[in-house]
Amino acid sequence: MYRLTGNGILSSIEQKWERLRILKTEIWHLKKVEPERDIIKRAAQIIKDGNLVAFPTETVYGLGANGLDSEAVKKIFEAKGRPNDNPLILHIANLKDVFYLASIVPLKAQVLMEEFWPGPLTLVFSKSKFIPEEITCGLETVAIRMPKHQVALALIREAGVPIAAPSANRSGYPSPTEADHVYNDLHGLIDVILDAGPTGLGLESTVLDISGEVPTILRPGGVTIEQLIPLIGHVEYDAGLHHSSEAPKAPGMKYTHYSPRAAVILLDGEPEQVASKLKDMVEDYTLKGSKVGLLLTNEIYQKVKDISTTYMINIGNRQDLPKIAQSIYKELRNCDLAGVDIILTETYHEEGLGTAIMNRLLKSAGYKVISC
Ligand code: TXA
Ligand code: MG
């Protein structure tokens, strides 16, 4: 997926980027359940050799390197164009590894590991002396998670090291939920993509800082605050998560993020009002020559499905948050592929998975919300 300038020509940054694509990226298909041993072995060898392999997790595809090899980790930052103050998550397959990678493992963390690992919960601990500087970007803490995906777990086991992996998108773009998304962003920049089909959750893990007094959610994700509280009591959201002057504690949350090429705008209000505002906006934009994409829940879709626009998708019933979470990134990318200039979509209640969905949508929209 290319970021085009208004006249359809690649920007100079893009042109420079294109020249860096010198590798021949291969896609290796394998089974989600009981993945083929020989493919895992070959992929693990690439990791051991200090190179990059993109692989599926239950959340999104990750871009993996040997987490104990500084030079390999640097390649992740180069391939993604990732700011060098944005630390990486270490992925493990064996619970015991936490005690090697973290200097302190609080009791509350152990309770959560027992309940949610493998699964979409990343825990931030005080780091041990074994963690390379490139992983933590100068922080005293390290983020660790155990993914719930057989390909990811088999790869980590076979490589025999913790695997550092951010989402396998180009920095700033929506995270990849399919191997094709990874290929679009990173072909020529990485060695291999392991393709085991679409990821289940579609949004990233929850990042929970468990290193301080009060467990704090730095990034809402697959495990919700409602699931955490009964197990460990009081949990807070990082103040910097909201659109405020406070800097977020997860460095990654301060960047423009999850953004397709097109501008995203969220519409907030009762279904009738949202539908009526949508119709007006599509008409206005179309008159001005802009192409509009609509990502709508079934409730709104049914009210506006007759209007003519460049791209329109029904992402499921408003109540079906897992389905919506699964579709959001893919559909933002599809809007780009359809060549739209503006994406209009809806807001969600910040409850359960809705909190993570809204967090990503607000960021991809640069906090542009219209009340209807
Ligand atoms: O679901 C996921 O978590 C996916 C899959 C591939 O595992 N990974 C992922 O990684 O989303 P990434 O790098 O795209 O996002 C990691 C987030 C960033 O916002 C980063 O700043 C934050 O976690 N983070 C990592 N280490 C941290 C640390 N020590 N302290 C605070 N935040 C940290
Ligand atoms: Mg990411």
Side-chain angles (χ1 to χ4, degrees), residues 281-325:
M281 288 178 80
V282 171
E283 206 177 303
D284 279 0
Y285 279 121
T286 311
L287 273 176
K288 286 187 208 141
S290 298
K291 292 183 182 160
V292 185
L294 301 179
L295 305 191
L296 305 175
T297 57
N298 188 41
E299 286 77 350
I300 306 284
Y301 177 86
Q302 295 305 336
K303 296 185 196 299
V304 303
K305 64 181 179 209
D306 295 331
I307 57 178
S308 147
T309 189
T310 307
Y311 187 81
M312 175 160 19
I313 181 92
N314 178 349
I315 53 176
N317 288 331
R318 188 147 258 289
Q319 305 310 324
D320 193 352
L321 294 178
K323 175 141 190 285
I324 288 163

mmCIF file of all heavy atoms in Angstrom, residues 281-325:
data_model
loop_
_atom_site.group_PDB
_atom_site.id
_atom_site.type_symbol
_atom_site.label_atom_id
_atom_site.label_comp_id
_atom_site.label_asym_id
_atom_site.label_seq_id
_atom_site.Cartn_x
_atom_site.Cartn_y
_atom_site.Cartn_z
ATOM 1 N N MET A 281 -23.076 14.330 4.276
ATOM 2 C CA MET A 281 -21.624 14.442 4.098
ATOM 3 C C MET A 281 -21.166 13.773 2.804
ATOM 4 O O MET A 281 -20.318 14.299 2.091
ATOM 5 C CB MET A 281 -20.885 13.841 5.301
ATOM 6 C CG MET A 281 -21.010 14.712 6.541
ATOM 7 S SD MET A 281 -20.184 13.979 7.974
ATOM 8 C CE MET A 281 -18.478 14.407 7.642
ATOM 9 N N VAL A 282 -21.750 12.606 2.510
ATOM 10 C CA VAL A 282 -21.348 11.910 1.279
ATOM 11 C C VAL A 282 -21.684 12.800 0.076
ATOM 12 O O VAL A 282 -20.881 12.960 -0.850
ATOM 13 C CB VAL A 282 -22.038 10.536 1.156
ATOM 14 C CG1 VAL A 282 -21.797 9.924 -0.218
ATOM 15 C CG2 VAL A 282 -21.556 9.590 2.247
ATOM 16 N N GLU A 283 -22.863 13.413 0.120
ATOM 17 C CA GLU A 283 -23.261 14.282 -0.994
ATOM 18 C C GLU A 283 -22.288 15.456 -1.137
ATOM 19 O O GLU A 283 -21.806 15.742 -2.237
ATOM 20 C CB GLU A 283 -24.680 14.791 -0.720
ATOM 21 C CG GLU A 283 -25.449 15.161 -1.966
ATOM 22 C CD GLU A 283 -26.859 15.583 -1.598
ATOM 23 O OE1 GLU A 283 -27.573 14.773 -0.959
ATOM 24 O OE2 GLU A 283 -27.232 16.721 -1.923
ATOM 25 N N ASP A 284 -21.998 16.106 -0.015
ATOM 26 C CA ASP A 284 -21.082 17.268 -0.043
ATOM 27 C C ASP A 284 -19.712 16.886 -0.592
ATOM 28 O O ASP A 284 -19.178 17.540 -1.471
ATOM 29 C CB ASP A 284 -20.869 17.808 1.381
ATOM 30 C CG ASP A 284 -22.026 18.688 1.798
ATOM 31 O OD1 ASP A 284 -22.953 18.855 0.972
ATOM 32 O OD2 ASP A 284 -21.992 19.178 2.942
ATOM 33 N N TYR A 285 -19.144 15.815 -0.023
ATOM 34 C CA TYR A 285 -17.794 15.419 -0.455
ATOM 35 C C TYR A 285 -17.794 15.030 -1.928
ATOM 36 O O TYR A 285 -16.872 15.355 -2.666
ATOM 37 C CB TYR A 285 -17.269 14.251 0.391
ATOM 38 C CG TYR A 285 -16.696 14.698 1.720
ATOM 39 C CD1 TYR A 285 -17.206 14.221 2.921
ATOM 40 C CD2 TYR A 285 -15.625 15.582 1.773
ATOM 41 C CE1 TYR A 285 -16.687 14.623 4.138
ATOM 42 C CE2 TYR A 285 -15.097 15.999 2.988
ATOM 43 C CZ TYR A 285 -15.632 15.512 4.173
ATOM 44 O OH TYR A 285 -15.113 15.914 5.365
ATOM 45 N N THR A 286 -18.822 14.316 -2.339
ATOM 46 C CA THR A 286 -18.866 13.855 -3.734
ATOM 47 C C THR A 286 -18.951 15.054 -4.676
ATOM 48 O O THR A 286 -18.267 15.104 -5.702
ATOM 49 C CB THR A 286 -20.057 12.895 -3.939
ATOM 50 O OG1 THR A 286 -20.017 11.912 -2.902
ATOM 51 C CG2 THR A 286 -19.994 12.189 -5.277
ATOM 52 N N LEU A 287 -19.753 16.052 -4.286
ATOM 53 C CA LEU A 287 -19.863 17.268 -5.106
ATOM 54 C C LEU A 287 -18.511 17.959 -5.249
ATOM 55 O O LEU A 287 -18.176 18.511 -6.283
ATOM 56 C CB LEU A 287 -20.856 18.243 -4.459
ATOM 57 C CG LEU A 287 -22.307 18.047 -4.846
ATOM 58 C CD1 LEU A 287 -23.196 18.999 -4.056
ATOM 59 C CD2 LEU A 287 -22.493 18.282 -6.350
ATOM 60 N N LYS A 288 -17.721 17.875 -4.168
ATOM 61 C CA LYS A 288 -16.392 18.518 -4.196
ATOM 62 C C LYS A 288 -15.358 17.653 -4.907
ATOM 63 O O LYS A 288 -14.186 17.970 -4.948
ATOM 64 C CB LYS A 288 -15.932 18.777 -2.758
ATOM 65 C CG LYS A 288 -16.648 19.917 -2.077
ATOM 66 C CD LYS A 288 -15.971 20.177 -0.730
ATOM 67 C CE LYS A 288 -16.947 20.768 0.262
ATOM 68 N NZ LYS A 288 -16.785 20.249 1.617
ATOM 69 N N GLY A 289 -15.781 16.480 -5.363
ATOM 70 C CA GLY A 289 -14.856 15.622 -6.111
ATOM 71 C C GLY A 289 -14.080 14.640 -5.253
ATOM 72 O O GLY A 289 -13.136 13.995 -5.726
ATOM 73 N N SER A 290 -14.432 14.511 -3.967
ATOM 74 C CA SER A 290 -13.728 13.548 -3.103
ATOM 75 C C SER A 290 -14.432 12.200 -3.143
ATOM 76 O O SER A 290 -15.659 12.132 -3.236
ATOM 77 C CB SER A 290 -13.720 14.038 -1.651
ATOM 78 O OG SER A 290 -13.040 15.249 -1.558
ATOM 79 N N LYS A 291 -13.626 11.140 -3.028
ATOM 80 C CA LYS A 291 -14.202 9.794 -2.971
ATOM 81 C C LYS A 291 -14.356 9.392 -1.505
ATOM 82 O O LYS A 291 -13.422 9.548 -0.721
ATOM 83 C CB LYS A 291 -13.274 8.794 -3.660
ATOM 84 C CG LYS A 291 -13.191 9.008 -5.146
ATOM 85 C CD LYS A 291 -12.313 7.945 -5.746
ATOM 86 C CE LYS A 291 -12.167 8.170 -7.232
ATOM 87 N NZ LYS A 291 -11.002 7.478 -7.762
ATOM 88 N N VAL A 292 -15.538 8.847 -1.180
ATOM 89 C CA VAL A 292 -15.837 8.548 0.220
ATOM 90 C C VAL A 292 -15.986 7.042 0.445
ATOM 91 O O VAL A 292 -16.614 6.344 -0.358
ATOM 92 C CB VAL A 292 -17.143 9.256 0.662
ATOM 93 C CG1 VAL A 292 -17.397 9.040 2.158
ATOM 94 C CG2 VAL A 292 -17.085 10.737 0.348
ATOM 95 N N GLY A 293 -15.399 6.557 1.545
ATOM 96 C CA GLY A 293 -15.597 5.175 1.980
ATOM 97 C C GLY A 293 -16.407 5.159 3.269
ATOM 98 O O GLY A 293 -16.253 6.048 4.107
ATOM 99 N N LEU A 294 -17.308 4.194 3.411
ATOM 100 C CA LEU A 294 -18.137 4.120 4.623
ATOM 101 C C LEU A 294 -17.933 2.771 5.309
ATOM 102 O O LEU A 294 -18.135 1.718 4.683
ATOM 103 C CB LEU A 294 -19.620 4.270 4.258
ATOM 104 C CG LEU A 294 -20.044 5.556 3.533
ATOM 105 C CD1 LEU A 294 -21.544 5.514 3.223
ATOM 106 C CD2 LEU A 294 -19.715 6.786 4.368
ATOM 107 N N LEU A 295 -17.524 2.788 6.571
ATOM 108 C CA LEU A 295 -17.415 1.556 7.377
ATOM 109 C C LEU A 295 -18.519 1.619 8.412
ATOM 110 O O LEU A 295 -18.426 2.375 9.382
ATOM 111 C CB LEU A 295 -16.076 1.476 8.117
ATOM 112 C CG LEU A 295 -14.784 1.576 7.323
ATOM 113 C CD1 LEU A 295 -13.600 1.208 8.215
ATOM 114 C CD2 LEU A 295 -14.831 0.657 6.125
ATOM 115 N N LEU A 296 -19.567 0.820 8.201
ATOM 116 C CA LEU A 296 -20.764 1.024 9.008
ATOM 117 C C LEU A 296 -21.221 -0.246 9.709
ATOM 118 O O LEU A 296 -21.081 -1.357 9.169
ATOM 119 C CB LEU A 296 -21.901 1.510 8.095
ATOM 120 C CG LEU A 296 -21.573 2.762 7.283
ATOM 121 C CD1 LEU A 296 -22.709 3.075 6.330
ATOM 122 C CD2 LEU A 296 -21.289 3.943 8.193
ATOM 123 N N THR A 297 -21.804 -0.068 10.884
ATOM 124 C CA THR A 297 -22.449 -1.209 11.528
ATOM 125 C C THR A 297 -23.757 -1.478 10.777
ATOM 126 O O THR A 297 -24.285 -0.592 10.088
ATOM 127 C CB THR A 297 -22.786 -0.912 13.000
ATOM 128 O OG1 THR A 297 -23.604 0.243 13.039
ATOM 129 C CG2 THR A 297 -21.536 -0.705 13.827
ATOM 130 N N ASN A 298 -24.262 -2.675 10.964
ATOM 131 C CA ASN A 298 -25.473 -3.076 10.258
ATOM 132 C C ASN A 298 -26.616 -2.078 10.475
ATOM 133 O O ASN A 298 -27.351 -1.741 9.549
ATOM 134 C CB ASN A 298 -25.875 -4.477 10.748
ATOM 135 C CG ASN A 298 -26.996 -5.046 9.922
ATOM 136 O OD1 ASN A 298 -26.998 -4.892 8.701
ATOM 137 N ND2 ASN A 298 -27.959 -5.661 10.577
ATOM 138 N N GLU A 299 -26.734 -1.571 11.715
ATOM 139 C CA GLU A 299 -27.843 -0.682 12.066
ATOM 140 C C GLU A 299 -27.848 0.563 11.179
ATOM 141 O O GLU A 299 -28.891 1.005 10.709
ATOM 142 C CB GLU A 299 -27.741 -0.256 13.539
ATOM 143 C CG GLU A 299 -28.107 -1.355 14.523
ATOM 144 C CD GLU A 299 -27.007 -2.424 14.731
ATOM 145 O OE1 GLU A 299 -26.022 -2.442 13.983
ATOM 146 O OE2 GLU A 299 -27.165 -3.256 15.650
ATOM 147 N N ILE A 300 -26.681 1.144 10.956
ATOM 148 C CA ILE A 300 -26.601 2.364 10.132
ATOM 149 C C ILE A 300 -26.615 1.984 8.646
ATOM 150 O O ILE A 300 -27.262 2.638 7.833
ATOM 151 C CB ILE A 300 -25.307 3.160 10.455
ATOM 152 C CG1 ILE A 300 -25.217 3.444 11.957
ATOM 153 C CG2 ILE A 300 -25.247 4.440 9.638
ATOM 154 C CD1 ILE A 300 -26.103 4.526 12.470
ATOM 155 N N TYR A 301 -25.918 0.907 8.342
ATOM 156 C CA TYR A 301 -25.826 0.456 6.940
ATOM 157 C C TYR A 301 -27.223 0.319 6.321
ATOM 158 O O TYR A 301 -27.479 0.764 5.218
ATOM 159 C CB TYR A 301 -25.068 -0.876 6.894
ATOM 160 C CG TYR A 301 -24.955 -1.482 5.529
ATOM 161 C CD1 TYR A 301 -23.912 -1.115 4.678
ATOM 162 C CD2 TYR A 301 -25.879 -2.425 5.072
ATOM 163 C CE1 TYR A 301 -23.808 -1.668 3.405
ATOM 164 C CE2 TYR A 301 -25.781 -2.980 3.806
ATOM 165 C CZ TYR A 301 -24.736 -2.600 2.978
ATOM 166 O OH TYR A 301 -24.635 -3.146 1.732
ATOM 167 N N GLN A 302 -28.134 -0.310 7.099
ATOM 168 C CA GLN A 302 -29.483 -0.540 6.560
ATOM 169 C C GLN A 302 -30.183 0.774 6.224
ATOM 170 O O GLN A 302 -31.036 0.817 5.343
ATOM 171 C CB GLN A 302 -30.337 -1.345 7.552
ATOM 172 C CG GLN A 302 -29.841 -2.763 7.811
ATOM 173 C CD GLN A 302 -29.688 -3.594 6.531
ATOM 174 O OE1 GLN A 302 -30.318 -3.328 5.510
ATOM 175 N NE2 GLN A 302 -28.795 -4.591 6.568
ATOM 176 N N LYS A 303 -29.828 1.834 6.913
ATOM 177 C CA LYS A 303 -30.501 3.127 6.682
ATOM 178 C C LYS A 303 -29.914 3.889 5.495
ATOM 179 O O LYS A 303 -30.550 4.812 4.989
ATOM 180 C CB LYS A 303 -30.385 4.009 7.940
ATOM 181 C CG LYS A 303 -31.097 3.462 9.156
ATOM 182 C CD LYS A 303 -31.014 4.467 10.304
ATOM 183 C CE LYS A 303 -31.356 3.842 11.632
ATOM 184 N NZ LYS A 303 -32.731 3.303 11.705
ATOM 185 N N VAL A 304 -28.668 3.567 5.111
ATOM 186 C CA VAL A 304 -28.033 4.399 4.070
ATOM 187 C C VAL A 304 -27.575 3.592 2.852
ATOM 188 O O VAL A 304 -26.928 4.143 1.970
ATOM 189 C CB VAL A 304 -26.812 5.176 4.651
ATOM 190 C CG1 VAL A 304 -27.203 6.042 5.833
ATOM 191 C CG2 VAL A 304 -25.676 4.227 5.019
ATOM 192 N N LYS A 305 -27.936 2.312 2.818
ATOM 193 C CA LYS A 305 -27.316 1.438 1.804
ATOM 194 C C LYS A 305 -27.632 1.818 0.360
ATOM 195 O O LYS A 305 -26.936 1.382 -0.556
ATOM 196 C CB LYS A 305 -27.673 -0.027 2.069
ATOM 197 C CG LYS A 305 -29.129 -0.345 1.952
ATOM 198 C CD LYS A 305 -29.350 -1.810 2.269
ATOM 199 C CE LYS A 305 -30.828 -2.105 2.172
ATOM 200 N NZ LYS A 305 -31.295 -3.151 2.994
ATOM 201 N N ASP A 306 -28.634 2.678 0.166
ATOM 202 C CA ASP A 306 -28.979 3.045 -1.207
ATOM 203 C C ASP A 306 -28.149 4.201 -1.749
ATOM 204 O O ASP A 306 -28.214 4.503 -2.934
ATOM 205 C CB ASP A 306 -30.470 3.398 -1.300
ATOM 206 C CG ASP A 306 -31.314 2.168 -0.991
ATOM 207 O OD1 ASP A 306 -30.825 1.054 -1.266
ATOM 208 O OD2 ASP A 306 -32.423 2.321 -0.452
ATOM 209 N N ILE A 307 -27.399 4.879 -0.868
ATOM 210 C CA ILE A 307 -26.636 6.013 -1.413
ATOM 211 C C ILE A 307 -25.452 5.487 -2.216
ATOM 212 O O ILE A 307 -24.946 4.383 -1.972
ATOM 213 C CB ILE A 307 -26.151 7.012 -0.325
ATOM 214 C CG1 ILE A 307 -25.294 6.336 0.733
ATOM 215 C CG2 ILE A 307 -27.296 7.747 0.298
ATOM 216 C CD1 ILE A 307 -24.778 7.315 1.771
ATOM 217 N N SER A 308 -25.037 6.291 -3.165
ATOM 218 C CA SER A 308 -23.965 5.834 -4.043
ATOM 219 C C SER A 308 -22.641 6.439 -3.577
ATOM 220 O O SER A 308 -22.523 7.652 -3.393
ATOM 221 C CB SER A 308 -24.333 6.261 -5.467
ATOM 222 O OG SER A 308 -23.186 6.542 -6.180
ATOM 223 N N THR A 309 -21.683 5.559 -3.337
ATOM 224 C CA THR A 309 -20.372 6.043 -2.881
ATOM 225 C C THR A 309 -19.292 5.062 -3.338
ATOM 226 O O THR A 309 -19.607 3.979 -3.831
ATOM 227 C CB THR A 309 -20.377 6.253 -1.343
ATOM 228 O OG1 THR A 309 -19.189 6.902 -0.973
ATOM 229 C CG2 THR A 309 -20.524 4.953 -0.587
ATOM 230 N N THR A 310 -18.011 5.426 -3.173
ATOM 231 C CA THR A 310 -16.937 4.609 -3.751
ATOM 232 C C THR A 310 -16.802 3.258 -3.054
ATOM 233 O O THR A 310 -16.613 2.230 -3.696
ATOM 234 C CB THR A 310 -15.590 5.377 -3.664
ATOM 235 O OG1 THR A 310 -15.774 6.650 -4.260
ATOM 236 C CG2 THR A 310 -14.478 4.625 -4.364
ATOM 237 N N TYR A 311 -16.885 3.256 -1.720
ATOM 238 C CA TYR A 311 -16.713 2.000 -0.984
ATOM 239 C C TYR A 311 -17.625 2.029 0.231
ATOM 240 O O TYR A 311 -17.650 3.014 0.979
ATOM 241 C CB TYR A 311 -15.250 1.854 -0.525
ATOM 242 C CG TYR A 311 -14.932 0.506 0.106
ATOM 243 C CD1 TYR A 311 -14.673 -0.601 -0.690
ATOM 244 C CD2 TYR A 311 -14.893 0.359 1.498
ATOM 245 C CE1 TYR A 311 -14.376 -1.838 -0.109
ATOM 246 C CE2 TYR A 311 -14.594 -0.875 2.071
ATOM 247 C CZ TYR A 311 -14.342 -1.962 1.268
ATOM 248 O OH TYR A 311 -14.047 -3.181 1.833
ATOM 249 N N MET A 312 -18.401 0.964 0.405
ATOM 250 C CA MET A 312 -19.286 0.908 1.578
ATOM 251 C C MET A 312 -19.281 -0.524 2.096
ATOM 252 O O MET A 312 -19.435 -1.461 1.318
ATOM 253 C CB MET A 312 -20.711 1.320 1.175
ATOM 254 C CG MET A 312 -21.658 1.159 2.309
ATOM 255 S SD MET A 312 -23.217 2.083 2.259
ATOM 256 C CE MET A 312 -23.505 2.568 0.621
ATOM 257 N N ILE A 313 -19.082 -0.684 3.402
ATOM 258 C CA ILE A 313 -19.054 -2.043 3.947
ATOM 259 C C ILE A 313 -19.846 -2.116 5.253
ATOM 260 O O ILE A 313 -19.785 -1.196 6.069
ATOM 261 C CB ILE A 313 -17.591 -2.535 4.154
ATOM 262 C CG1 ILE A 313 -17.519 -3.955 4.707
ATOM 263 C CG2 ILE A 313 -16.792 -1.618 5.049
ATOM 264 C CD1 ILE A 313 -17.422 -4.991 3.656
ATOM 265 N N ASN A 314 -20.566 -3.204 5.378
ATOM 266 C CA ASN A 314 -21.307 -3.490 6.601
ATOM 267 C C ASN A 314 -20.404 -4.357 7.480
ATOM 268 O O ASN A 314 -20.118 -5.503 7.132
ATOM 269 C CB ASN A 314 -22.579 -4.251 6.191
ATOM 270 C CG ASN A 314 -23.429 -4.666 7.371
ATOM 271 O OD1 ASN A 314 -22.999 -4.579 8.520
ATOM 272 N ND2 ASN A 314 -24.632 -5.121 7.073
ATOM 273 N N ILE A 315 -19.900 -3.785 8.600
ATOM 274 C CA ILE A 315 -18.928 -4.545 9.397
ATOM 275 C C ILE A 315 -19.594 -5.362 10.511
ATOM 276 O O ILE A 315 -18.907 -5.916 11.362
ATOM 277 C CB ILE A 315 -17.797 -3.651 9.985
ATOM 278 C CG1 ILE A 315 -18.369 -2.470 10.761
ATOM 279 C CG2 ILE A 315 -16.860 -3.188 8.895
ATOM 280 C CD1 ILE A 315 -17.297 -1.629 11.429
ATOM 281 N N GLY A 316 -20.915 -5.457 10.478
ATOM 282 C CA GLY A 316 -21.597 -6.347 11.432
ATOM 283 C C GLY A 316 -22.470 -5.596 12.413
ATOM 284 O O GLY A 316 -22.503 -4.367 12.428
ATOM 285 N N ASN A 317 -23.195 -6.373 13.218
ATOM 286 C CA ASN A 317 -24.091 -5.764 14.199
ATOM 287 C C ASN A 317 -23.308 -5.001 15.250
ATOM 288 O O ASN A 317 -22.243 -5.426 15.675
ATOM 289 C CB ASN A 317 -24.922 -6.847 14.894
ATOM 290 C CG ASN A 317 -25.954 -7.411 13.950
ATOM 291 O OD1 ASN A 317 -26.419 -6.717 13.038
ATOM 292 N ND2 ASN A 317 -26.279 -8.682 14.141
ATOM 293 N N ARG A 318 -23.860 -3.882 15.665
ATOM 294 C CA ARG A 318 -23.256 -3.007 16.668
ATOM 295 C C ARG A 318 -22.859 -3.777 17.943
ATOM 296 O O ARG A 318 -21.857 -3.483 18.574
ATOM 297 C CB ARG A 318 -24.307 -1.937 16.982
ATOM 298 C CG ARG A 318 -23.906 -0.819 17.827
ATOM 299 C CD ARG A 318 -24.621 0.443 17.426
ATOM 300 N NE ARG A 318 -23.734 1.279 16.641
ATOM 301 C CZ ARG A 318 -22.703 1.924 17.143
ATOM 302 N NH1 ARG A 318 -22.408 1.867 18.402
ATOM 303 N NH2 ARG A 318 -21.924 2.647 16.361
ATOM 304 N N GLN A 319 -23.685 -4.776 18.318
ATOM 305 C CA GLN A 319 -23.405 -5.540 19.548
ATOM 306 C C GLN A 319 -22.258 -6.531 19.357
ATOM 307 O O GLN A 319 -21.673 -7.002 20.325
ATOM 308 C CB GLN A 319 -24.644 -6.348 19.984
ATOM 309 C CG GLN A 319 -25.910 -5.544 20.161
ATOM 310 C CD GLN A 319 -25.685 -4.325 21.029
ATOM 311 O OE1 GLN A 319 -24.903 -4.373 21.978
ATOM 312 N NE2 GLN A 319 -26.329 -3.216 20.700
ATOM 313 N N ASP A 320 -21.968 -6.865 18.115
ATOM 314 C CA ASP A 320 -20.995 -7.924 17.848
ATOM 315 C C ASP A 320 -19.578 -7.332 17.804
ATOM 316 O O ASP A 320 -18.937 -7.261 16.750
ATOM 317 C CB ASP A 320 -21.350 -8.616 16.523
ATOM 318 C CG ASP A 320 -20.593 -9.919 16.342
ATOM 319 O OD1 ASP A 320 -19.698 -10.202 17.171
ATOM 320 O OD2 ASP A 320 -20.880 -10.640 15.364
ATOM 321 N N LEU A 321 -19.095 -6.922 18.976
ATOM 322 C CA LEU A 321 -17.803 -6.230 19.028
ATOM 323 C C LEU A 321 -16.641 -7.097 18.525
ATOM 324 O O LEU A 321 -15.754 -6.583 17.846
ATOM 325 C CB LEU A 321 -17.536 -5.706 20.442
ATOM 326 C CG LEU A 321 -18.505 -4.604 20.897
ATOM 327 C CD1 LEU A 321 -18.200 -4.184 22.332
ATOM 328 C CD2 LEU A 321 -18.459 -3.392 19.973
ATOM 329 N N PRO A 322 -16.631 -8.432 18.823
ATOM 330 C CA PRO A 322 -15.524 -9.228 18.280
ATOM 331 C C PRO A 322 -15.455 -9.162 16.751
ATOM 332 O O PRO A 322 -14.374 -9.063 16.178
ATOM 333 C CB PRO A 322 -15.849 -10.648 18.763
ATOM 334 C CG PRO A 322 -16.652 -10.447 20.006
ATOM 335 C CD PRO A 322 -17.460 -9.202 19.758
ATOM 336 N N LYS A 323 -16.603 -9.172 16.098
ATOM 337 C CA LYS A 323 -16.598 -9.138 14.630
ATOM 338 C C LYS A 323 -16.112 -7.765 14.139
ATOM 339 O O LYS A 323 -15.358 -7.665 13.163
ATOM 340 C CB LYS A 323 -18.013 -9.427 14.115
ATOM 341 C CG LYS A 323 -18.168 -9.298 12.626
ATOM 342 C CD LYS A 323 -19.070 -10.383 12.049
ATOM 343 C CE LYS A 323 -19.036 -10.391 10.536
ATOM 344 N NZ LYS A 323 -19.799 -9.283 9.943
ATOM 345 N N ILE A 324 -16.542 -6.725 14.848
ATOM 346 C CA ILE A 324 -16.128 -5.373 14.448
ATOM 347 C C ILE A 324 -14.616 -5.213 14.641
ATOM 348 O O ILE A 324 -13.906 -4.729 13.759
ATOM 349 C CB ILE A 324 -16.951 -4.320 15.213
ATOM 350 C CG1 ILE A 324 -18.376 -4.345 14.641
ATOM 351 C CG2 ILE A 324 -16.354 -2.931 15.096
ATOM 352 C CD1 ILE A 324 -19.420 -3.696 15.475
ATOM 353 N N ALA A 325 -14.122 -5.698 15.801
ATOM 354 C CA ALA A 325 -12.672 -5.623 16.068
ATOM 355 C C ALA A 325 -11.898 -6.330 14.958
ATOM 356 O O ALA A 325 -10.866 -5.850 14.491
ATOM 357 C CB ALA A 325 -12.357 -6.264 17.421
#
